[in-house]
Structure formats: structure tokens, C-alpha cells
Amino acid sequence: MGDQDLPGVLVSGFKGPHGICEDHVRDLQKHFHLITMEEFLENKTQLAPKIRAVFVWGGRPAVDRELLRSLPSLRIVASAGAGLDHLDLALIASSGVKVASTPHAVSSPTADLGMALLLAAARRVVEGHQLAVSPDTEKFSINWMGQGVTGATLGIIGMGSIGYKIAQRARAFEMKILYHNRKRRKLEEEGAVGATYCARLDDLLQWSDFVMLAVSLTPQTQGLVGRRELSLMKPSATLINIGRGPLVDQDALVEALQTGVIKAAALDVTSPEPLPSDPACWDIWIRPLITPAVLTFDSPNFDFYPLSKLLSAECLTL
């Protein structure tokens, strides 16, 4: 069977910052005829009937009403990663199209990154590196200290698969673990990681030395941490966000850092992403440690097989 005879899958492209990972392209091409957005837009009439699926990588391509109407054979929108906040689920469902994602594919890499951010912020790793390589550095102050992690209290907001893996890692650092979640975990699950449930988010914020956001973005969680919540945290506390940028009121966070309401922040996500390039804007982002959200992907461990299998099942069904 030639490529043209395989079920068509619409993708953003193969190159540039939004291009699909090369390893995944090879896997997809074993089963599907990949059609880029550029190719589709240049030849809609011929290609539209062949497209059975849209593969979303890094939020691209955007699945809107116009695209859905232009794909009469579309059966499924498959999104790589755990979050679905970039998709209009109601709109897609109203078109009779299914949605699939890989909720567990990034759990371990994201948990690893969460702990990396916590440790880097606590031990001032980035600041230390900058100090060590600066040509202006003549001596290292013996009073230049970080924050202790062993025995500190970590508050995890969102105890799904990612949050639970963070707890597993934090336990190895002998941290006290609190968590807040829509539903309480089973007692045996709590016991396995030494976690204590906080029914009230306010309690977790007041008691934690490190607060880590590992919750999905929904209308209910947007702006979950704002000025009031930040004011409840310890002045020595660090906020870590590995969820989505809009979970935090960014203006309130900047104010909290500037005025010493909290000590530090470590962010894998911001709003917008990336932050504006205006130098004046970056002046306020000196203290937070910021990484691009793509660091949660780990190519060797990204379990693409379930998504590929689901795509095949949907696309090959007549």
C-alpha cells in the first residue's frame, strides 16, 4: 500500500518550532498519509475527503469551526499530551468527532521537571551558575545560601497522575507532603507516599514551604492562585507552576515577588508563552526561574503507541 492509499492525517508540519517531533513522524508514517496544513490549504478540494484525523502537536493545528466544516471524513482529533484546554470539546463533539489524548505519556517527565524546578529554585542553581561564570565575580560569599528541601513541606495542588508522581519523588527527599484535590485519594495511596489531604486549599497554602501547581486548566481553575492566595503563603515560600500559565494571576505574582509576599517562583508555564521580549518586562522576571513548557516532553519515554493504535482503529473503520 502506497502512502497515498493510507488514511489521511492532518498535521501542523514537519519543520519549525511547531513541527512534529521527528521520531513521531516516522511512527505516524508507518500507518498514515501525513498531510501538512500548508498542503491542505493549497489543495483543499482534493485532500479534504482523505483526512480521517487531525493530529495536534503543541496545540497546532488549531481545530476551529472552519476546519471542522472543511473535513467531511474527519473521525478523530488526537492531541499529544495530557491537557485538552486548547481544544473546544463541545464544538468538536457537536461535529460527531471523537477526541483522544495521551494523559499518562508526560506524567513522569513532568514530575521530574517539577522536582528539578523545586530543587533549582531552593538551591539557587541558576543564580549560582550565573555568579560562577560572570567575569565580574571576584569572590564567592560564604553567606550566599539557598533554602533547605529535606524536611520541608511540599503542598501539591492537583493529585492526579502527575501530582502523585511528584509526591513519590518528594518522599525520597524526606519532604512532608500535603495535597489538595477535587477528590481525596485512597488511604493506601496516601500512605504509600506519606501524603496528607487538605480539604481546604487555604490550609495547604499557609502550611507549605513549596507550593506546586499540577492541576488542569478549566474555567474553575483559571486564576486559582491570585493575590489573596499568595498572601496566605509563607514569606519564605516558593510557588512552582507546571500546569498552565493562566492558573496563576501573573500580575499578582509579580507584585508578590516584588514586595516580598513570597520568596520565589519557578515556572514551566507563563501567560503569554513566551513572555514579551520588551526588556522592561524582563526586569520584573529576575527572581522567578522560568523554563519553556516543552521541557515536559521526554522523547525516549513518550508513549506514543496507545495514541497511534487509537488513530489506526478510528481511521481504518469504514
Side-chain angles (χ1 to χ4, degrees):
M1 181 184 290
D3 289 349
Q4 300 295 324
D5 298 319
L6 293 172
V9 174
L10 182 65
V11 299
S12 57
F14 305 132
K15 298 180 180 180
H18 300 291
I20 300 175
C21 174
E22 185 177 333
D23 291 339
H24 298 167
V25 171
R26 286 196 293 266
D27 288 334
L28 284 166
Q29 286 178 331
K30 295 176 184 177
H31 309 284
F32 311 109
H33 172 210
L34 301 187
I35 301 168
T36 67
M37 276 297 295
E38 182 178 0
E39 293 170 331
F40 171 66
L41 294 173
E42 290 176 352
N43 193 359
K44 282 187 178 183
T45 303
Q46 181 181 353
L47 294 177
K50 299 181 179 181
I51 295 174
R52 304 282 189 88
V54 176
F55 178 66
V56 180
W57 176 259
R60 306 290 180 91
V63 181
D64 54 21
R65 190 179 303 276
E66 181 181 355
L67 182 64
L68 290 168
R69 286 176 174 172
S70 66
L71 300 175
S73 303
L74 184 65
R75 295 178 179 273
I76 187 170
V77 173
S79 181
L84 293 172
D85 50 279
H86 56 286
L87 296 175
D88 187 334
L89 299 180
L91 174 64
I92 296 171
S94 70
S95 300
V97 176
K98 296 180 180 180
V99 173
S101 65
T102 54
H104 302 294
V106 296
S107 296
S108 290
T110 305
D112 291 344
L113 177 63
M115 288 305 299
L117 287 171
L118 186 156
L119 292 168
R123 305 312 309 168
R124 303 173 69 181
V125 171
V126 174
E127 293 172 82
H129 169 75
Q130 292 171 340
L131 182 67
V133 301
S134 173
D136 299 324
T137 300
E138 296 180 357
K139 294 181 180 179
F140 296 134
S141 171
I142 61 173
N143 295 320
W144 197 84
M145 297 183 182
Q147 184 177 2
V149 172
T150 301
T153 299
L154 169 62
I156 303 171
I157 303 175
M159 197 65 150
S161 60
I162 294 173
Y164 195 78
K165 285 180 178 293
I166 292 165
Q168 290 175 323
R169 287 152 175 75
R171 191 180 191 192
F173 285 89
E174 302 176 18
M175 300 187 79
K176 302 179 181 71
I177 302 166
L178 308 176
Y179 78 97
H180 175 76
N181 201 46
R182 285 180 302 172
K183 295 181 180 179
R184 183 172 180 174
R185 284 269 186 170
K186 295 178 181 178
L187 291 178
E188 53 267 32
E189 293 174 332
E190 291 181 348
V193 293
T196 300
Y197 178 64
C198 289
R200 287 173 15 100
L201 176 60
D202 288 4
D203 292 337
L204 180 146
L205 294 170
Q206 290 174 322
W207 298 337
S208 299
D209 299 301
F210 300 89
V211 174
M212 190 175 301
L213 285 160
V215 67
S216 300
L217 178 63
T218 67
Q220 291 72 38
T221 60
Q222 184 164 350
L224 181 65
V225 175
R227 187 169 283 102
R228 189 190 78 85
E229 288 73 25
L230 289 164
S231 70
L232 294 174
M233 294 173 62
K234 298 178 180 179
S236 58
T238 296
L239 177 69
I240 303 140
N241 187 4
I242 57 171
R244 289 289 189 268
L247 293 171
V248 178
D249 181 335
Q250 200 154 274
D251 291 339
L253 176 58
V254 170
E255 180 183 314
L257 291 168
Q258 289 177 326
T259 58
V261 172
I262 65 172
K263 182 178 182 179
L267 313 172
D268 182 51
V269 286
T270 58
S271 182
E273 291 177 340
L275 289 170
S277 57
D278 180 4
C281 173
W282 280 98
D283 287 344
I284 62 174
W285 288 107
I286 293 175
R287 269 185 287 177
L289 169 60
I290 304 173
T291 62
V294 293
L295 293 186
T296 57
F297 288 101
D298 185 350
S299 182
N301 295 322
F302 191 92
D303 187 5
F304 183 78
Y305 176 72
L307 187 58
S308 180
K309 185 177 180 181
L310 182 58
L311 268 171
S312 298
E314 288 296 327
C315 292
L316 295 176
T317 301
L318 298 178

